[in-house]
Amino acid sequence: MDKLIDKEEAKAIVHNGLWKQNAGVVQILGMCPVLVMSNNIINGVSLGLATSLVMLISGMAVAAIRRFVPNELRTPIFILIIAALVTMVDLAMNAWVHGLYVVLGIFIPLITTNCIVLARAEAFASKNGVLQSGLDGLFMGLGLTGVLAVLGAMRELVGQGTLLSSIDLLFGPQARTWVIHVIPAEANYQFLLAMLPPGAFIGLGFLVAGKMALDRRAEARAKAVPPPTASAAA
């Protein structure tokens, strides 16, 4: 029987998913949707949340059946589970947010072949309990969603001078007034490089470099703290 998840284990899983082993800036997995659909915040976050939902449920499903799956059939069975969940997400988005569904296009079905989804099923869910696997899948997906959100905000701001463009695809025509025009619309500002694939590569490079710089600063601070003396420890 799978054991319950304790607080420290949960904190470690969350930290791994969001920061230490972030799929977007550490493992560098699933780059096709990251680079293509991060041209604005709404597209990036929507695809990231859809991926997170698939990873949450697929992780729990794989963990629940892992003892009954022969090693020889493990990969095709995992892919079948993921594909079934992606089909459900695809149909739900088509029914409820059709405008966004049209924009995301082929990248919703391609969640099935996203490296990070199958990698977590194989590397984590097939070896751990249901709760642990669900938590790992959720926060690995949210870590990727965070990268998509930040990269999308950078590219949208530099490329168009706006934030939250296309939000009406989620909340209807009335949401068009929610778009933030950092640069007035009358200026007709556009920086095409930021909106094209080269802009995605450049932006992702800045994010990777920024994370590495923050990690090094944290390590330097940890080394600068003097170790506790024997009397203080006592």
Side-chain angles (χ1 to χ4, degrees):
M1 183 176 179
D2 293 334
K3 65 183 181 70
L4 296 177
I5 186 170
D6 58 53
K7 185 177 180 180
E8 291 303 316
E9 186 180 12
K11 286 173 63 176
I13 291 173
V14 171
H15 182 252
N16 274 337
L18 295 180
W19 188 259
K20 187 177 179 181
Q21 294 296 326
N22 185 282
V25 294
V26 178
Q27 300 187 61
I28 317 294
L29 294 174
M31 286 297 98
C32 183
V34 168
L35 297 175
V36 176
M37 298 311 302
S38 61
N39 56 341
N40 63 51
I41 298 177
I42 300 302
N43 291 352
V45 170
S46 300
L47 186 63
L49 291 178
T51 305
S52 300
L53 178 61
V54 171
M55 292 185 69
L56 165 66
I57 303 176
S58 65
M60 298 180 73
V62 167
I65 66 168
R66 70 186 192 279
R67 295 190 178 93
F68 310 103
V69 177
N71 284 334
E72 297 81 4
L73 300 176
R74 189 167 58 185
T75 299
I77 289 176
F78 292 171
I79 292 176
L80 182 63
I81 293 171
I82 294 167
L85 293 170
V86 170
T87 301
M88 294 170 61
V89 170
D90 184 77
L91 293 173
M93 293 187 71
N94 190 14
W96 294 326
V97 283
H98 183 72
L100 183 63
Y101 170 82
V102 171
V103 171
L104 296 180
I106 190 63
F107 290 99
I108 301 173
L110 281 179
I111 294 173
T112 303
T113 57
N114 193 320
C115 300
I116 185 61
V117 182
L118 183 59
R120 295 318 293 177
E122 182 70 37
F124 193 94
S126 63
K127 301 178 178 67
N128 292 276
V130 173
L131 294 179
Q132 290 88 339
S133 300
L135 192 65
D136 175 78
L138 175 62
F139 280 94
M140 278 289 171
L142 291 179
L144 181 63
T145 303
V147 172
L148 284 164
V150 175
L151 184 57
M154 291 169 53
R155 294 180 65 194
E156 183 181 352
L157 183 58
V158 175
Q160 300 178 176
T162 63
L163 291 173
L164 302 179
S165 65
S166 302
I167 196 170
D168 55 297
L169 297 177
L170 276 176
F171 299 105
Q174 71 277 4
R176 290 173 184 165
T177 58
W178 302 354
V179 178
I180 301 170
H181 290 274
V182 180
I183 298 176
E186 297 78 22
N188 292 319
Y189 169 79
Q190 189 176 34
F191 184 53
L192 193 57
L193 176 64
M195 306 304 294
L196 293 175
F201 278 102
I202 294 170
L204 183 62
F206 277 117
L207 292 184
V208 172
K211 186 195 181 295
M212 293 176 65
L214 290 174
D215 285 342
R216 289 175 181 173
R217 180 178 295 182
E219 290 176 6
R221 287 179 178 175
K223 291 178 181 177
V225 176
T229 62
S231 58

